[in-house]
Amino acid sequence: RCAPPDAVVWPQDVAQVQELAALCHRHRVPMVPFGTGTGLEGGVNAVQGGVCFDLSRMATISELSIEDFSVAVEPGVTRKALNSHLRGTGLWFPVDPGADASLCGMAATGASGTNAVRYGTMRPNVLNLRVVLPDGSLLHTAGPGRQARKSAAGYDLTSLFVGSEGTLGFLTQATLRLHPLPEAVAAAVCSFPSVQAAVACTVQVLQAAVPVARIELLDEVMAGACSRYSRLELPEAATLFLELHGSQQGLAEQQQQAEELVRLHGGSIPAWARAPEEREQLWSARHSAWFAALALRPGCQVRGGSAASPSPWCPRAPLLTYPHPQGYSTDVCVPISRLPGVVVETQRDLRDAGLTGERCLPLHHLPAPLSPLSPVVPAGPMVGHVGDGNFHCILVFNPEDPDEARRVHDFAERLGRRALAAGGTCTGEHGVGLGKRELLREELGPQGLDTMRRIKAALDPHHLMNPGKVL
C-alpha cells in the first residue's frame, strides 16, 4: 500500500540537504530519501510519515577524469544521463539495472543488472560517497577528494553505505569507476529445449571462461511475452540473451566458443547481431520484460485514453480497466553451481501454485469486451541475470483477490528460503526494503542482525532515516 510522507522538499545542493536534515533531526521527524522511485521493495514508502527528500534537482556531473577512469555524480543524475555525458570520451558506466535509475539510488540499493557478470555490481564500482548523516553532518566515506582504485586505510565506509537503502544517511554524491568502451560487440538470442538446458549452458559458458558481458535467461512464458510485446519473432522457448565484448579478432573466437557450448546443450543461435540498431532492438525487448509480463494479465495497466482505446503494440487489444491486477517482482541469487537445480525447482513451484500465466489469454485473442470470468490466472514468468546466479520472478496478480494475494506471498517466501537453503541470498539486487526483513533475519542470523542494528544506532540513534526499512 502507498504510504505518503507528510511533506516533500526539493533541496538544490548539499548545504540545503544538511540544513533540512539538521532541522528534522532536532524535531525528531522521520526522513525518507527519494531519487527516481524505481526501487522494487517499498524503499521510498514513508511508513511513519515525515519528510521526503526528493534529491532529483541535484544533478551535477563533476570531477570527470578520463585518465583515472572516474567521475562524480549527484543523486539527480541517472545512468543514461551519465553515459550521454560521457559520449565521445571512450568511456562508459556499465551497471545497468534496466530502469533509468538514479546512480546514487543504485548505490543505495546495491543495484546491478545485465552487465554485472563482466563489470560487477555497484559495490566495486563506487570509489567514494559524500553522505549527509541524520544530524546534518557531512561524511566523505573515503576522505574528501579521494578516488583511489583500492585502499587498505581503516574500515571500508564506502561499502557500508552501498546497499544501506537510505537507512544511514543521504547519498548526495557518488564517485564512480568508469570503464573503456569495447572495440567490438556482438549479441545473440539462443533458444533451448528447456530452462534446465539453458541454465546448464550458462554454467558451462562461465566455466569455459568465455568472457561474456551479458547472459540473460527468459523462461518460455517470458520469451513469449517479450516476443509479443516488442514485436520480435522469438520462439516461446527457454531463451538466453548473450552479449560479448572484446576486440574484433577476439570476438570471432568467443562467438565460435559460445556457439559450440549452445549446440552442446541442444540450443540454437540463428545469427549474431553486431549493428548497434540490431543489438538495441534485442536489449530493448529484454529491458521491457516488466511491461511484457504485465501485459500477460489484461487490464493490468491502463496507459491513457479510455478503456476502449487500442493498445499501441497490439491494435486489436483494448486497454481494459479490470480486474486491476498489479505486478510484483522478487529476486534471489544463488551460487552458480546450485543455479540449475534452484531454477528448475522454482519453475515447478510456479506451476504448482498456478502462477505461470499459462492460461492467460494472448492479447490478440482477447474477446471484446473481456468478460470478468475469462480464464486468466496470475502470471509469474521468470527472467534472470544468470551469469552471476541472480534471477527474478515477475508475479502479476489481482491484489483484491485474497487467494491470489496469498499464493503470491507464499511463493515469494518459499523462493527466498529456497535460495537461502542453497547457500544464496534472499535478494541479489532489489534490496530488503519492507518485504524481505524476515528473510534477512534468517539469512544473517541473530548476531549478524544485531551487529547491523548497532551500526544503525550509532549513526541514527533516533531511527529517523527511512524508518521501518531493512531492520
Side-chain angles (χ1 to χ4, degrees), residues 102-120:
S102 157
L103 289 159
C104 287
M106 288 165 59
T109 58
S112 58
T114 57
N115 288 308
V117 65
R118 170 101 179 231
Y119 298 99

Side-chain angles (χ1 to χ4, degrees), residues 152-319:
Y155 297 142
D156 188 352
L157 296 179
T158 302
S159 288
L160 173 63
F161 282 87
V162 174
S164 60
E165 301 186 41
T167 62
L168 301 179
F170 297 95
L171 308 191
T172 62
Q173 186 184 69
T175 302
L176 304 175
R177 181 195 306 258
L178 301 177
H179 297 260
L181 282 165
E183 177 188 338
V185 179
V189 176
C190 319
S191 298
F192 291 85
S194 68
V195 165
Q196 186 169 13
V199 176
C201 178
T202 300
V203 173
Q204 283 222 328
V205 165
L206 297 174
Q207 289 175 338
V210 179
V212 289
R214 302 180 180 182
I215 183 164
E216 297 285 299
L217 170 71
L218 284 69
D219 73 354
E220 299 89 343
V221 178
M222 191 76 260
C226 285
S227 180
R228 288 189 293 273
Y229 185 85
S230 298
R231 298 181 180 274
L232 292 179
E233 295 182 1
L234 298 178
E236 294 198 22
T239 301
L240 288 180
F241 280 45
L242 284 175
E243 186 166 280
L244 306 174
H245 294 180
S247 65
Q248 295 287 357
Q249 183 178 353
L251 210 59
E253 183 180 333
Q254 294 171 27
Q255 287 177 231
Q256 182 181 356
Q257 196 175 6
E259 288 173 9
E260 290 173 358
L261 290 170
V262 168
R263 284 194 292 268
L264 183 65
H265 290 86
S268 62
I269 300 182
W272 289 89
R274 286 207 176 207
E277 299 79 11
E278 293 179 297
R279 291 188 284 105
E280 175 61 30
Q281 185 181 27
L282 292 180
W283 288 109
S284 176
R286 165 61 186 88
H287 285 322
S288 297
W290 168 256
F291 302 104
L294 297 185
L296 284 170
R297 188 74 185 263
C300 190
Q301 192 167 8
V302 177
R303 302 183 65 83
S306 68
S309 300
S311 161
W313 53 273
C314 186
R316 286 176 288 175
L319 286 175

